[in-house]
Amino acid sequence: FHLRMIDFFSISLPIRNGVHSVAESKLKLMKAKHSLALFLFLLLVTTFPRIIHCQESSDLKNSADAHGHFIDRRQGCNTDPLIAAMIAAVNQDTLRKTLQQFQDRGSRFMLNNDRREIATGLMNKFLSYGYTDVKLDSFYCILDGQYGYTDSTWQYNVVCNLRGNTTPDRIYLAGAHYDSYSFPDPYTLAPGVDDNGSGSAGVLEMARVMAALNYHPGATIQFTLFAAEELGLYGSEYDSRMAKLSGKD
């Protein structure tokens, strides 16, 4: 098995009034959208080999149309139509809606009582896009006081698989953590839009776009939203350990 991990943390929105909140600036959101489009492009090129010829420099001269759709304005480029269609389908309004939902939740702190409800809501998003291979991957987490918390809880990674049609055992993982933390009261005020709601929204948007365009990759793409990252990277460590034990590389 081949497991390639891609940590989606490149999209980061600004902090307003000391709280991780949805950005007011359209420009900042546009930059986040372009980061997602570039990431989507790189994942597509990697999972299904395609050749792109460009006569200009490697600089991406991108903008967006009136509907917030991504446009590649490079001249002299022969771009694969599927890649172009997927990049164009990345939608600013969808990203903003997801981020607003994260903020409205108030907190996604790993020790809150609604942590399974939050994970179930994220799982339902993948299901609403049309995916069927979606699950909550639960694991038991013990906090040893390293960050000032001593507790033990069940945590829930959200895993969605888009199975490859030629080399399904070759797996590319696009992930971000969905839990949040904010000082001094993470239980009630930790909307975590920039850390890492933006990354989670990016993974969800990537999955939405691929489903909407009925994309069938050669290799399997695994979308994973990790739990329990803020206090020790527990979600991704668990996922990596399970991959190793099951013979995935």
Side-chain angles (χ1 to χ4, degrees):
F1 294 94
H2 299 276
L3 180 65
R4 309 294 179 87
M5 296 195 67
I6 304 173
D7 182 19
F8 206 123
F9 196 73
S10 60
I11 295 180
S12 182
L13 299 184
I15 298 175
R16 185 184 62 187
N17 298 330
V19 177
H20 306 270
S21 62
V22 174
E24 296 286 347
S25 169
K26 183 176 181 180
L27 176 60
K28 291 293 184 181
L29 192 60
M30 191 68 66
K31 289 181 178 178
K33 181 172 173 293
H34 285 183
S35 296
L36 171 58
L38 178 58
F39 181 82
L40 178 63
F41 168 81
L42 292 174
L43 182 63
L44 282 167
V45 170
T46 305
T47 57
F48 192 86
R50 299 167 184 274
I51 301 175
I52 297 176
H53 302 285
C54 188
Q55 296 175 0
E56 288 193 337
S57 68
S58 60
D59 293 335
L60 293 179
K61 300 177 180 179
N62 301 318
S63 59
D65 62 16
H67 303 289
H69 293 152
F70 185 90
I71 299 174
D72 184 347
R73 297 195 182 281
R74 290 174 293 176
Q75 300 297 319
C77 294
N78 179 16
T79 307
D80 185 284
L82 178 58
I83 292 177
M86 286 198 175
I87 292 176
V90 176
N91 187 275
Q92 174 179 319
D93 293 335
T94 305
L95 287 166
R96 178 180 289 276
K97 181 179 179 181
T98 301
L99 293 175
Q100 189 65 57
Q101 290 170 345
F102 283 148
Q103 178 176 318
D104 292 345
R105 188 90 198 185
S107 174
R108 300 182 304 284
F109 184 45
M110 64 172 288
L111 296 181
N112 281 358
N113 292 330
D114 62 352
R115 57 188 177 275
R116 184 183 176 92
E117 178 185 338
I118 292 171
T120 300
L122 294 170
M123 179 181 69
N124 288 338
K125 276 186 173 290
F126 286 115
L127 291 171
S128 72
Y129 303 153
Y131 291 98
T132 56
D133 187 359
V134 188
K135 67 177 182 178
L136 297 185
D137 191 3
S138 58
F139 61 97
Y140 199 62
C141 182
I142 299 176
L143 300 178
D144 58 7
Q146 179 180 357
Y147 292 94
Y149 296 90
T150 303
D151 206 338
S152 57
T153 65
W154 283 100
Q155 298 291 324
Y156 309 95
N157 287 344
V158 184
V159 181
C160 172
N161 287 302
L162 175 57
R163 187 170 175 79
N165 57 18
T166 56
T167 55
D169 291 340
R170 190 179 185 89
I171 303 170
Y172 290 83
L173 190 154
H177 74 87
Y178 68 85
D179 64 308
S180 62
Y181 180 87
S182 183
F183 183 83
D185 183 13
Y187 290 93
T188 57
L189 188 60
V193 167
D194 68 328
D195 184 9
N196 191 21
S198 53
S200 295
V203 172
L204 287 165
E205 178 69 353
M206 187 190 308
R208 183 193 69 80
V209 167
M210 290 187 177
L213 295 182
N214 196 30
Y215 177 56
H216 299 287
T220 295
I221 300 175
Q222 178 181 319
F223 306 102
T224 302
L225 300 179
F226 298 109
E229 291 290 288
E230 290 288 359
L231 298 184
L233 308 179
Y234 294 101
S236 57
E237 189 278 333
Y238 164 78
D239 188 81
S240 300
R241 179 158 36 89
M242 290 300 101
K244 181 178 181 180
L245 289 175
S246 62
K248 300 175 183 178
D249 183 8

